[in-house]
Each structure stands twice: as structure tokens, then as C-alpha cells.
Amino acid sequence: MIKMMIYISTGIAIVMAMGVFMFRMKETKKPVNEKKIILPPLFMSTGALMFLFPMFRVTRYEFLEALVAGMVFSILLIKTSKFEVRNEQIYILRSKAFIFILVGLMVIRLVAKLILGSTIEVGVLSGMFFLLAFAMIVPWRIAMLYQYKKVKAAYLSESNMV
């Protein structure tokens, strides 16, 4: 039963990763604004409600482990997120490395899940992976917001000079 839950959650993770990739590809075709950068982590934060249920609760050590891993992984996402001004609007640049990083992170996560799935309870493991994902997305989106504001300020000061 536990193995089946691990396989099902792995399948769900793969589908979600494909969704993220497709969303990111669409995202590069439309202008970005502060709201579009800030909202995804806010929406994702509702997932923390899982910790109301004891089966998902993690220890302090597991919490820190997931937090640090997520923050380390966020560095890759931060490095591949750049903005440009096109048609007087700001767009996120499409990165060729993003798909490889996304797939790489997914593979690392799946391997970790399969290895840890035999030693850590499924609920706790789910909680840890939620924390890892959240700790990866929040710094990434904060960095994106900072970069966005920098590009916007540079564009506005440049357009005022003309």
C-alpha cells in the first residue's frame, strides 16, 4: 500500500512538473507584472494546511533539511530567470536551461522520494517535499520580483531620458 502511494504521488509530481513547464512557456509570451510574480507562492501556501493533520507533520530536523534543500535548489531557478523589455513591456526571457533544470530537479526529487520512501513515513515525506518546493519557490519569486523591479526602474529612467 505504501509503495502504491509513493508511485501515485510520483505520477502526480511528473504531471505537475509538466504543468509547470507548460505554464512557464506560456509565461514567456505574455508581459509580466508584480502580481504574476507574487501570486504563485501565495496560492501554494494554502498547501500548508496539510500540516493540520498529524500524518504530515515533520520534526524540526526534517523541516530544516527540506528548507535548506529547497533554498539550494532555488539558486538554479534564480540563475535562469531573466527579464527583458519588448514593446514597452517587461517579459521573462525563455531559458533553454530551464527545462533541463526542471527535469533535473524532478529526477533528484523522485530518486530521493524512492530512497527515503522506505525509511520515512509517506505523510511526513509529503510534508517534507511540500516544504522543499515552497522553500524553492519563495526565494526564486522574491529574486524575480527584485529583478523585475530593477528592469522596470532601468526602463523607466531610460524612457524618461529620451
Side-chain angles (χ1 to χ4, degrees):
M1 181 64 179
I2 290 174
K3 285 242 187 233
M4 181 59 96
M5 290 175 76
I6 290 172
Y7 292 132
I8 290 171
S9 66
T10 300
I12 291 169
I14 291 169
V15 170
M16 288 176 70
M18 289 188 305
V20 167
F21 177 70
M22 292 175 78
F23 175 77
R24 178 69 185 252
M25 290 302 108
K26 274 188 189 177
E27 194 177 39
T28 62
K29 294 178 182 175
K30 296 179 183 175
V32 179
N33 59 39
E34 292 176 9
K35 191 167 87 171
K36 288 181 180 180
I37 294 170
I38 294 170
L39 287 178
L42 289 178
F43 294 149
M44 186 182 173
S45 68
T46 60
L49 292 172
M50 72 192 302
F51 296 111
L52 292 175
F53 301 95
M55 75 177 286
F56 297 108
R57 293 188 188 146
V58 297
T59 65
R60 285 184 182 142
Y61 177 74
E62 292 162 340
F63 177 84
L64 286 173
E65 200 172 77
L67 193 71
V68 169
M71 291 174 102
V72 168
F73 289 154
S74 75
I75 294 168
L76 297 171
L77 296 172
I78 291 167
K79 294 285 185 192
T80 60
S81 298
K82 305 285 183 234
F83 295 94
E84 71 175 350
V85 177
R86 278 185 274 159
N87 304 326
E88 299 181 9
Q89 295 193 327
I90 301 172
Y91 291 80
I92 191 160
L93 280 171
R94 189 176 273 188
S95 168
K96 293 176 184 172
F98 184 79
I99 183 65
F100 296 109
I101 290 170
L102 187 66
V103 169
L105 290 173
M106 187 180 75
V107 167
I108 290 168
R109 190 173 168 201
L110 293 176
V111 169
K113 183 185 275 189
L114 293 173
I115 292 169
L116 297 173
S118 61
T119 58
I120 299 175
E121 293 177 32
V122 174
V124 172
L125 195 58
S126 298
M128 287 179 71
F129 278 109
F130 169 80
L131 290 169
L132 183 145
F134 196 66
M136 184 170 64
I137 289 171
V138 169
W140 174 41
R141 290 296 174 145
I142 290 171
M144 283 178 72
L145 183 61
Y146 175 75
Q147 289 176 15
Y148 171 83
K149 285 184 173 192
K150 222 166 113 173
V151 169
K152 185 176 179 180
Y155 171 71
L156 290 175
S157 69
E158 184 180 295
S159 63
N160 285 339
M161 295 173 82
V162 175

